[in-house]
Amino acid sequence: MSPTSLPVSRASKPRVELHPPYAYTFGPEARDLAARAGLNLDPWQCDAIDLLLACKADRKWACFEYAELVARQNGKGAILEARVLAGFLLLGEQLILWSAHEYKTAMEAFRRFRTLLRRLGKQVGNNENLIEYDGIRIKISNTNGEESFERLDTGARVKFVARSKGSGRGFSGDLVIIDEAFAYTLLQQEALMPTMRARPNPQIIYTSSPPLDGDSGEPMFMLRKRADTGGDDSLGYRDWGAEGDLDHLDDIDLDDRVLWAATNPAYGIRVTEQATLRDRRGMSDRGFAREILGVWPRQTQGNVVIDPALWAVLADPNSRRKGGIALGIDLSPLRDYGAIVVYGLREDGLGHAQLADYRPGSKWVIPRLVELREALEPVAVGMGRGTFAYLETELDKAGFAKPEDPEAPQRGDLAVTNAIDMAAAAGQILDGVREAAFRVVPARHLDVAVAGARTKTSGDTIAWTANGADCDISPLVALSVARWSFETRSHLLSEAEYDLLGSVF
């Protein structure tokens, strides 16, 4: 077929589409408002808006989470713009967070939204940063890093942010947008997801082309797995990409014009056959398949050392310890986060691990340790040398000390690991996971640390390391030193506590 032939009819529905049942939708109102702003939606975009604004009988959103996964330049941004216009001007949402993976991407979205508002309303006097629409005055903030829109009648805001480990903290968003979700990480999700916990009717939206490779985009792979598994009554999910994966491109006809149209809903509107042909000629097979046909990579484990399936077996929300415990503490390299883990034994002889605390900063650690010491009377308080060096002065003031005689530690003494000890601690966790020797009270921060942890070797020793600068593994390190401290100081337990160890040692 030549590039001058008649265009192939574009697809009206994505390859994968699922959503919860709903009673009604605000979609028509949102589409009308968008049209008045000069944003005329394609049929596929209208379908997306109907699902995004679909409500159950109790007036809550049918889709708490919604993902629209489609190749680049099809117009997924227009879906977000129409949704945000409706939330800001019609639905009374007080805070909308629009996040992108880069600042410049967030600013492009900010400028597009500003254009829509200016088309809807009119400038107030000579103030180009004040717009009036239907009696509503809207203030535009252009301050670098604080780009936003605010309704002066209700105080409702739309904020545009670049994602980071801490972006979104302190906000309680009704709507959170994850634009370009291929670059979205679990740690960023940790910062953004809790912003909606206290909101009465929140929603989070993901839009993206597929992940760049099998080692990134973990939240997207998790979304796809949930969609494939089914049974999630709060997830809306649409994927326009071609079936298959990037490692098996021989099974996909990359020159099939029908496939081009099926995977690009704007084909024949803003995506032309001629432009797609240029892409085909100028891009690698893998790049064309991913960026233009929406083909996913296969998710890889990379050098992940803790098998997610084995870790999942350890989760037990009802796990309870019986007897004495040890505490493990770790601080992130920049001291911007800290974690405390409790480790002990259950009545069945299996280990019991629980994330006792995880917070930003480090000033909270010593007061929290004092509380836990008084409440739990730990057999030992474990930490690595770096954490000890940083906290040494405050630990001393609070009465935490290393053993006077290293060969005869006392109950409650510090257990400070050297490199060999830390290697043993990491190895004990790896063995314990493989052997299902302990149970973990589920905690998302700990799960994220496990997913992002790798090992590095130095001579005959190993140590935990993070897979990326924005991955904090302090909860896993704290678990490691807690378990190591418990096992190395178990002889200090009372007779009643020690009786439980028979099935373990």
Side-chain angles (χ1 to χ4, degrees):
M1 181 182 294
S2 69
T4 57
S5 61
L6 293 175
V8 179
S9 297
R10 61 184 178 273
S12 60
K13 290 292 183 181
R15 180 178 60 84
V16 179
E17 178 177 286
L18 62 89
H19 60 83
Y22 60 91
Y24 61 94
T25 179
F26 289 107
E29 291 84 352
R31 296 197 302 270
D32 178 66
L33 179 63
R36 280 185 276 146
L39 181 61
N40 295 300
L41 300 179
D42 303 340
W44 72 279
Q45 294 168 327
C46 292
D47 291 342
I49 285 295
D50 285 345
L51 292 177
L52 276 169
L53 294 174
C55 296
K56 299 178 292 186
D58 63 1
R59 299 185 180 183
K60 303 293 186 183
W61 299 127
C63 301
F64 163 61
E65 290 179 276
Y66 181 90
E68 188 82 27
L69 307 176
V70 63
R72 296 169 62 181
Q73 302 303 313
N74 274 274
K76 51 186 174 289
I79 298 172
L80 300 178
E81 291 159 9
R83 171 63 181 89
V84 173
L85 274 177
F88 188 50
L89 297 177
L90 299 179
L91 303 175
E93 290 175 322
Q94 282 297 109
L95 178 60
I96 298 171
L97 288 177
W98 186 316
S99 77
H101 73 300
E102 293 182 349
Y103 178 76
K104 63 181 181 181
T105 308
M107 291 308 96
E108 282 300 315
F110 169 81
R111 286 187 280 269
R112 291 196 308 268
F113 194 74
R114 181 177 59 189
T115 297
L116 294 175
L117 287 178
R118 285 175 171 167
R119 288 175 183 169
L120 273 175
K122 60 181 180 180
Q123 181 175 309
V124 177
N126 295 323
N127 190 345
E128 62 179 12
N129 291 322
L130 191 61
I131 297 172
E132 184 169 310
Y133 162 72
D134 197 22
I136 301 169
R137 291 200 169 187
I138 301 168
K139 177 184 175 183
I140 303 173
S141 295
N142 294 292
T143 305
N144 188 32
E146 296 293 334
E147 288 82 0
S148 64
F149 302 90
E150 180 180 1
R151 286 181 53 159
L152 298 185
D153 58 338
T154 64
R157 291 176 296 157
V158 181
K159 290 183 63 67
F160 293 78
V161 299
R163 287 191 295 271
S164 67
K165 180 178 175 180
S167 63
R169 292 190 183 275
F171 298 111
S172 184
D174 297 286
L175 174 64
V176 174
I177 290 172
I178 310 298
D179 193 10
E180 302 293 3
F182 69 83
Y184 187 47
T185 69
L186 277 177
L187 203 59
Q188 290 165 348
Q189 189 175 32
E190 291 295 301
L192 287 169
M193 285 290 282
T195 66
M196 299 178 290
R197 292 184 64 196
R199 305 307 300 172
N201 190 23
Q203 187 175 66
I204 183 168
I205 302 171
Y206 312 87
T207 59
S208 189
S209 52
L212 297 181
D213 53 54
D215 294 317
S216 62
E218 189 168 1
M220 291 188 66
F221 282 108
M222 292 167 62
L223 279 169
R224 186 173 70 165
K225 183 176 181 180
R226 287 164 56 195
D228 290 344
T229 303
D232 191 330
D233 62 0
S234 65
L235 175 64
Y237 183 93
R238 304 207 312 167
D239 186 351
W240 294 86
E243 192 170 8
D245 65 73
L246 294 177
D247 290 339
H248 296 87
L249 292 182
D250 289 344
D251 298 332
I252 304 173
D253 184 357
L254 301 182
D255 297 309
D256 182 357
R257 272 39 170 202
V258 174
L259 185 62
W260 295 0
T263 55
N264 288 269
Y267 202 81
I269 304 174
R270 66 188 63 84
V271 175
T272 67
E273 183 179 2
Q274 186 174 17
T276 307
L277 183 59
R278 289 198 302 267
D279 292 332
R280 179 72 182 104
R281 290 169 174 166
M283 300 174 71
S284 68
D285 286 353
R286 190 177 180 90
F288 180 81
R290 183 186 64 241
E291 302 291 349
I292 307 303
L293 303 184
V295 179
W296 285 60
R298 294 182 66 187
Q299 188 174 21
T300 61
Q301 294 298 328
N303 61 337
V304 173
V305 292
I306 297 181
D307 187 328
L310 295 179
W311 178 255
V313 170
L314 306 183
D316 182 358
N318 298 314
S319 183
R320 297 290 183 272
R321 68 172 180 88
K322 184 175 181 180
I325 60 94
L327 296 174
I329 301 94
D330 190 59
L331 300 176
S332 63
L334 296 180
R335 311 308 187 216
D336 53 346
Y337 278 86
I340 301 177
V341 170
V342 171
Y343 190 90
L345 287 180
R346 299 165 17 134
E347 194 164 12
D348 60 6
L350 293 173
H352 165 87
Q354 186 168 359
L355 183 64
D357 222 323
Y358 177 77
R359 303 186 212 173
S362 60
K363 291 185 178 180
W364 61 272
V365 172
I366 300 300
R368 183 65 171 135
L369 280 179
V370 171
E371 292 177 359
L372 292 171
R373 179 179 60 185
E374 294 175 354
L376 302 177
E377 298 182 350
V379 66
V381 179
M383 63 191 69
R385 287 186 300 181
T387 296
F388 171 74
Y390 183 77
L391 297 175
E392 184 174 5
T393 300
E394 297 303 317
L395 285 167
D396 184 63
K397 290 179 181 178
F400 293 95
K402 292 195 290 186
E404 293 184 9
D405 180 357
E407 300 299 322
Q410 301 299 305
R411 184 175 183 129
D413 282 348
L414 295 178
V416 180
T417 63
N418 56 33
I420 295 176
D421 297 331
M422 189 62 81
Q428 287 172 3
I429 292 297
L430 293 173
D431 289 342
V433 171
R434 286 190 289 264
E435 298 164 4
F438 60 92
R439 296 295 181 264
V440 179
V441 177
R444 189 164 187 80
H445 297 298
L446 184 54
D447 291 343
V448 171
V450 167
R454 307 293 185 264
T455 57
K456 61 181 179 180
T457 60
S458 177
D460 295 330
T461 66
I462 64 170
W464 294 121
T465 187
N467 182 31
D470 64 347
C471 181
D472 180 19
I473 61 170
S474 63
L476 176 60
V477 178
L479 168 60
S480 303
V481 293
R483 189 167 194 254
W484 177 85
S485 299
F486 183 84
E487 296 199 359
T488 57
R489 302 285 177 90
S490 60
H491 62 282
L492 301 176
L493 295 170
S494 67
E495 184 176 347
E497 294 167 330
Y498 194 83
D499 285 344
L500 288 170
L501 303 181
S503 62
V504 179
F505 298 100

